[in-house]
Amino acid sequence: MSPTSVPSDVTALRDRVRRLRPFAGFLARRVLIAVLLAWGITLVTFVLTNMVPGDPVAANLGQRALGDETIVAQWRAEHGLDKSPPEQYLMHLQALLHGDLGMSQQSHRPVGDDLAEFVPATLELAGVAIVVSLVLGVAFGMIAALRRDRPADHALRMLSLIGISVPTFWLALLAFYVFFYRLQLTPGSGRVDPGLGAPESVTGLHTVDAALAGQWDVFASALGHLILPALVLSLYTIALLTRFTRSAVLEVLGQDHVRAGRAKGLPRRVILRSYVLRSALVPIITVAGLAFGSLLSGTVLVEAIFAWPGIGQYAYKSATTLDLPAIMGVGLVVGIVYLVINLIVDVLYGVIDPRVRLR
Amino acid sequence: MATRTNLTALLLATALPLAACSGDGSRTPAAGDGTLVIDTSFDLKTADPGRMYETTGMFVNKALYDTLLTFDGSDVKKPVPALAKSFELSDDGKVLTLKLRSGVKFSDGSPLTADDVVFSLNRVRGMKGTPSFLLEGVEVAKTDATTVTMTSKVPNPALPYILPNPVLSILNSKVVMKHGGTTDPKDKAEKYLNSASAGSGPYKLESLSVSSKVVLRANPEYYGRKPAYGKVVIRNVEAATQKLNVQRGDSQVALNLSGDQVKTVAGSLEVLKTASANVIYLHATRNKSVSKTTPNPKFAEAVRKGVDYQGLLELAGAGSVQAPGMIPSQILGALPQDQAAKRDVAGAKAALKASGLKNPKVKLEYPSEITVNGLPFQPLAERIQSNLKDVGITVDLAPAPISTAADNYRTGKEEMGLWYWGPDYPDPSDYLVFLPGKPVGQRVGWKPGTDKAVEDAGEKAATVLGEAERRQAYHDMQTELNDSGPFIPLIQPSQNIVSATSVTGLKYHPVWTVDVADLGAK
């Protein structure tokens, strides 16, 4: 070993740092964008909520109280609405920097507490739905592409057409009617049976919390309540992913590297997994990221039919009553979810396709 | 967001016949299993009686707390003793003396005293919250350990009718004060009162989520008859889902089904249809800077004669009744049905001709996303639009979310509006607000001094004492209002309550919808 040479482990470390540096820079840029975007969300929601011709006072006080100026003034002062809009915005922003999302006018509670209760309920529902969508959507798409123009392909294409065209609320009502009322296969409204209490909240996900606490009856009830709404919610995304996977796979199937793989006599399994699916994954992941967004908007309707106390219901109620702190809170959460999904999608591009390099 | 949801509501309504295909799959839960599940559409904000003023809140607080006086069953024409064993109103109507029942305990076992009464009522008044107007100008004082007097500045014969309101529940003052309770706007007890109740009512609060469910447990310290159900779960469920839940037996009571929905409910269930105390009405502004058309007195007459009331009743479903005046049928002073307006297209056209208005065009505003007893405003507005077209009046429909619509209404910017009024307390004095210069009169630009006959009739109704005299005075006031006022009372929609046959004793109450403690099991 010459005195100028560097120990091999140090070289390895340097290499790792060199490899990580672009990723760290990428992440730093993303965090900066996230902060700017969060600020943008607060500004847009604030301006839009203030532009709506209306007054939250009218949605919150009774008809008699509205006729009493002292009560109206007191209510406004309590919610900071006696200040000018720029002052209100600065107050919100200042509180936000201290992690305070303000008080909801609808629930009379801190918005942070409301979100902590409702976001996990929606995440539990949407999380299951997205996993189901990815598994079934990609599988159906592959099958349809490989069996192109055969009965399986026609059946799956028809199914995906139905999935995309059927309105979610109608499907939710129909599914509830058929599976809960007619066939009596699924349990009723809410997240657990009314006779059982909710498990002690650790993650906010009832299935996980019940399992952690070892309350298996609650776990079974929570899982039972989750299945139908999650399936209804995922139908649209399953259909979307089926269509995109089918076309992406069809495009790849005819390409040279797949033909070369076949010519080399590689097993069909290897060709499908490493040659076809891997190449087709980039557009599929793009669509999956976008689909998650549509899933979140679908929760508004599915939650209403299944009496699921999630963020969709909260967002709707806040919007119709101009509950500004709640609207901003929901906006921030949804914005952050989108950012995280986009980040995951971008990172996955690099993992799947080595030609995509972080710069 | 709002537009999207309106569309959803509309589509939901069209999809309902599907869900309405009734089945025979309802199963009745084992009687006496102790848990009652009630489904309702929440408008819940809080369980703090002093800050609450919502339909769901009234219903929840009625189960958790006691009031000084109450009503027997659904009869709201006569207040009866509750925490007060007797009450007496002075001849001038200004002093109400209440003798308290002895031996009543709060759910923590401590005795209920006159101090708790004074604190609770002063808290509602002093916090300046939504319901504080109920005790406006009323001083509450303890005379001795078992006597409380309430003194009003002006004669207040309505006070015994106001006291049963669950807003005026008696709280355990020591517990509330310990958790930040005061009798001024600085009060901080709401958070505590949303986690536990501090009352003497038939139930105790086990848990509350204003968006999903409220769980009640029977209060072992309750002085009255032990409630039949040990546990009551009240869930927030959309009307379409409520129907399926109660039919399958997942719930035992559904409170918000519309007239259309109850038509096809399974035969094994009980359906209670009662005219609610909510009066849906039209108003036409008198403010000349808001409209060139509606302030013309002949215009209101044309509308009153042009509306097809029977058609509106058909839309609202069985159990609904026409409102002859602004005071609903349950309350003293309501006009008899034979004085209700009738459709008279020729008369309406004549009135329009006499008005001198040529092809009048008006804008009708109403809230788009709320319902009254399950009935949305949209179909009513469309029907009125078509009725008035027959007369020669063009109506432009302008629905808006409640925060926008109610703000326009409150600030007096509406040309015509379609709204409803539910009684704050079942006494006709609640309806004096419709007079010229009073809060609702002002909202439609009806200034004081512009209609002497109505104002004189209102003045007399407000001051006269004695049941028969008050009834007559309020009849006269409403007849004057109907003759020359800007309000056109339409209907009282039906409150439909669907329940399993195992649930007994169900009655609709105009103030708290249902008294959970009154329900029995068989």
Side-chain angles (χ1 to χ4, degrees):
Chain A
M1 196 166 99
S2 76
T4 52
S5 73
V6 187
S8 62
D9 52 340
V10 174
T11 321
L13 191 71
R14 258 191 208 156
D15 278 358
R16 262 181 76 185
V17 169
R18 202 172 296 137
R19 275 204 308 276
L20 276 176
R21 201 177 283 146
F23 185 70
F26 166 76
L27 208 61
R29 274 201 304 280
R30 276 314 180 97
V31 170
L32 187 71
I33 291 172
V35 171
L36 284 174
L37 209 77
W39 171 70
I41 289 169
T42 62
L43 190 65
V44 169
T45 43
F46 183 85
V47 171
L48 284 181
T49 311
N50 272 285
M51 271 167 64
V52 174
D55 191 332
V57 170
N60 281 284
L61 296 181
Q63 291 223 29
R64 288 291 289 253
L66 284 175
D68 185 331
E69 285 310 318
T70 345
I71 294 177
V72 171
Q74 150 113 10
W75 193 89
R76 286 184 173 284
E78 222 170 82
H79 295 277
L81 296 170
D82 51 343
K83 309 259 187 329
S84 70
E87 273 179 294
Q88 283 180 43
Y89 180 67
L90 285 178
M91 271 167 55
H92 275 296
L93 216 54
Q94 208 171 16
L96 199 62
L97 289 175
H98 293 91
D100 177 8
L101 291 162
M103 289 289 280
S104 160
Q105 296 152 12
Q106 282 301 298
S107 68
H108 295 199
R109 283 206 307 174
V111 172
D113 290 3
D114 281 346
L115 292 176
E117 184 185 331
F118 304 134
V119 171
T122 298
L123 282 186
E124 191 172 27
L125 192 61
V128 172
I130 197 75
V131 170
V132 170
S133 312
L134 279 172
V135 171
L136 293 184
V138 172
F140 288 168
M142 289 277 284
I143 293 169
L146 297 172
R147 299 265 183 283
R148 187 180 184 179
D149 289 335
R150 284 195 242 165
D153 180 28
H154 291 308
L156 285 170
R157 278 165 72 188
M158 182 57 86
L159 264 180
S160 79
L161 193 67
I162 292 170
I164 285 176
S165 352
V166 166
T168 311
F169 78 90
W170 182 82
L171 186 73
L173 202 54
L174 181 76
F176 194 66
Y177 176 71
V178 171
F179 293 100
F180 163 72
Y181 180 57
R182 276 289 170 191
L183 303 177
Q184 311 210 348
L185 285 174
T186 55
S189 303
R191 298 177 73 188
V192 286
D193 282 339
L196 298 167
E200 200 189 328
S201 182
V202 182
T203 60
L205 311 173
H206 276 11
T207 45
V208 177
D209 288 347
L212 286 177
Q215 294 172 301
W216 297 109
D217 52 340
V218 179
F219 174 80
S221 172
L223 192 66
H225 278 82
L226 190 57
I227 291 171
L228 195 60
L231 281 180
V232 167
L233 193 57
S234 62
L235 194 80
Y236 175 80
T237 32
I238 290 175
L240 199 68
L241 283 169
T242 303
R243 288 172 74 101
F244 273 89
T245 308
R246 181 182 177 275
S247 61
V249 168
L250 279 179
E251 202 183 308
V252 175
L253 276 178
Q255 282 178 7
D256 289 348
H257 69 283
V258 176
R259 285 221 298 276
R262 277 205 198 109
K264 278 200 294 188
L266 284 173
R268 187 177 154 82
R269 187 169 42 83
V270 175
I271 294 177
L272 285 184
R273 199 181 54 208
S274 307
Y275 286 53
V276 177
L277 190 57
R278 192 162 177 185
S279 313
L281 266 183
V282 171
I284 293 173
I285 284 170
T286 312
V287 175
L290 294 173
F292 196 80
S294 72
L295 213 77
L296 282 182
S297 62
T299 58
V300 178
L301 308 169
V302 173
E303 284 174 7
I305 300 295
F306 290 93
W308 194 271
I311 197 171
Q313 286 297 296
Y314 186 59
Y316 165 57
K317 216 173 159 187
S318 328
T320 50
T321 54
L322 297 179
D323 186 351
L324 182 68
I327 297 173
M328 291 225 288
V330 172
L332 278 175
V333 167
V334 174
I336 289 167
V337 168
Y338 264 90
L339 280 171
V340 170
I341 299 280
N342 273 320
L343 183 68
I344 295 173
V345 166
D346 286 351
V347 170
L348 283 179
Y349 284 154
V351 173
I352 295 159
D353 188 345
R355 289 170 301 180
V356 179
R357 281 280 167 254
L358 302 171
R359 271 187 288 274
Chain B
M1 180 69 97
T3 320
R4 184 185 173 135
T5 323
N6 294 341
L7 180 69
T8 312
L10 186 74
L11 293 171
L12 265 177
T14 53
L16 284 182
L18 166 91
C21 308
S22 62
D24 49 9
S26 62
R27 64 183 159 90
T28 314
D33 70 352
T35 300
L36 177 73
V37 180
I38 301 176
D39 282 355
T40 183
S41 310
F42 277 21
D43 60 357
L44 194 62
K45 289 187 169 108
T46 176
D48 178 347
R51 297 179 187 273
M52 170 276 300
Y53 211 64
E54 293 78 39
T55 310
T56 317
M58 295 278 175
F59 158 60
V60 168
N61 279 323
K62 177 65 188 165
L64 298 175
Y65 295 93
D66 274 319
T67 45
L68 290 170
L69 303 179
T70 188
F71 292 111
D72 189 13
S74 53
D75 176 13
V76 293
K77 288 199 169 121
K78 191 168 173 270
V80 297
L83 287 178
K85 62 181 178 190
S86 67
F87 64 100
E88 200 188 331
L89 188 65
S90 64
D91 289 343
D92 63 359
K94 287 183 181 171
V95 182
L96 183 69
T97 310
L98 300 124
K99 285 273 176 202
L100 300 184
R101 187 186 291 273
S102 56
V104 177
K105 285 179 180 166
F106 286 113
S107 55
D108 67 351
S110 61
L112 187 150
T113 66
D115 293 322
D116 293 310
V117 174
V118 174
F119 172 82
S120 304
L121 300 182
N122 279 338
R123 181 170 177 265
V124 174
R125 207 184 84 156
M127 283 196 303
K128 289 277 165 217
T130 312
S132 61
F133 75 91
L134 288 173
L135 293 182
E136 192 66 54
V138 180
E139 296 293 335
V140 187
K142 169 181 160 184
T143 318
D144 59 49
T146 57
T147 315
V148 170
T149 51
M150 300 182 76
T151 313
S152 311
K153 288 196 186 101
V154 290
N156 194 355
L159 195 53
Y161 295 85
I162 296 174
L163 285 176
N165 194 309
V167 161
L168 304 177
S169 293
I170 306 308
L171 314 178
N172 187 333
S173 59
K174 289 194 189 73
V175 171
V176 174
M177 280 195 269
K178 196 176 134 203
H179 291 95
T182 60
T183 54
D184 58 31
K186 293 192 188 76
D187 174 271
K188 294 267 179 283
E190 184 182 10
K191 193 174 175 208
Y192 174 76
L193 292 171
N194 280 339
S195 66
S197 50
S200 60
Y203 285 93
K204 292 194 291 183
L205 183 66
E206 183 169 292
S207 72
L208 172 128
S209 159
V210 293
S211 63
S212 62
K213 70 178 173 189
V214 181
V215 182
L216 313 176
R217 281 264 178 212
N219 168 17
E221 300 285 352
Y222 183 51
Y223 73 91
R225 191 167 51 88
K226 191 172 169 284
Y229 295 94
K231 181 180 175 184
V232 178
V233 180
I234 304 157
R235 303 188 298 186
N236 181 19
V237 178
E238 289 281 311
T241 314
Q242 278 182 33
K243 179 173 174 178
L244 295 176
N245 280 348
V246 74
Q247 291 199 136
R248 183 164 157 205
D250 195 51
S251 70
Q252 285 78 52
V253 182
L255 291 179
N256 306 91
L257 301 195
S258 69
D260 270 352
Q261 286 172 315
V262 293
K263 272 185 203 159
T264 50
V265 156
S268 55
L269 296 169
E270 298 282 341
V271 181
L272 182 70
K273 298 172 190 166
T274 325
S276 73
N278 295 316
V279 171
I280 299 182
Y281 65 92
L282 277 173
H283 72 73
T285 190
R286 288 290 162 95
N287 187 341
K288 292 195 170 87
S289 63
V290 173
S291 173
K292 299 267 178 289
T293 312
T294 58
N296 189 319
K298 284 285 173 191
F299 177 81
E301 189 187 329
V303 173
R304 187 170 286 113
K305 288 180 174 163
V307 172
D308 175 13
Y309 300 91
Q310 288 310 312
L312 297 182
L313 286 175
E314 274 164 32
L315 280 179
S320 311
V321 296
Q322 190 180 341
M326 290 307 301
I327 299 176
S329 53
Q330 291 90 342
I331 296 177
L332 178 88
L335 284 176
Q337 277 294 324
D338 60 21
Q339 291 192 31
K342 288 186 183 58
R343 187 165 206 219
D344 169 12
V345 178
K349 281 181 176 163
L352 199 60
K353 200 174 172 196
S355 75
L357 297 164
K358 292 274 176 292
N359 301 321
K361 196 173 168 185
V362 289
K363 188 162 107 174
L364 177 64
E365 297 184 46
Y366 52 93
S368 54
E369 85 282 25
I370 62 164
T371 61
V372 186
N373 307 103
L375 180 68
F377 284 88
Q378 183 69 25
L380 295 176
E382 283 171 10
R383 186 64 69 96
I384 291 164
Q385 182 186 41
S386 127
N387 291 165
L388 296 184
K389 196 176 168 206
D390 298 343
V391 177
I393 300 170
T394 309
V395 178
D396 284 338
L397 302 184
I402 182 80
S403 49
T404 306
D407 191 44
N408 276 350
Y409 167 58
R410 180 178 80 94
T411 49
K413 288 181 204 141
E414 283 185 355
E415 186 172 33
M416 266 185 95
L418 180 63
W419 287 94
Y420 81 102
W421 187 273
D424 298 286
Y425 45 88
D427 184 84
S429 58
D430 192 35
Y431 293 82
L432 295 169
V433 289
F434 288 93
L435 295 171
K438 295 290 188 316
V440 183
Q442 256 171 356
R443 285 173 199 166
V444 299
W446 208 16
K447 295 201 180 78
T450 49
D451 204 323
K452 199 163 176 327
V454 179
E455 285 167 77
D456 287 350
E459 184 63 34
K460 189 174 175 203
T463 47
V464 76
L465 296 173
E467 195 178 308
E469 293 83 351
R470 293 186 82 209
R471 179 183 296 117
Q472 189 54 51
Y474 279 102
H475 275 188
D476 296 345
M477 179 187 99
Q478 288 176 96
T479 310
E480 290 289 346
L481 260 174
N482 283 349
D483 284 350
S484 60
F487 302 100
I488 297 128
L490 303 172
I491 57 167
Q492 292 172 238
S494 173
Q495 168 78 37
N496 305 305
I497 303 177
V498 175
S499 62
T501 44
S502 61
V503 180
T504 59
L506 202 57
K507 285 190 197 92
Y508 162 73
H509 195 281
V511 181
W512 47 74
T513 314
V514 167
D515 184 349
V516 181
D518 264 359
L519 302 181
K522 72 173 181 203

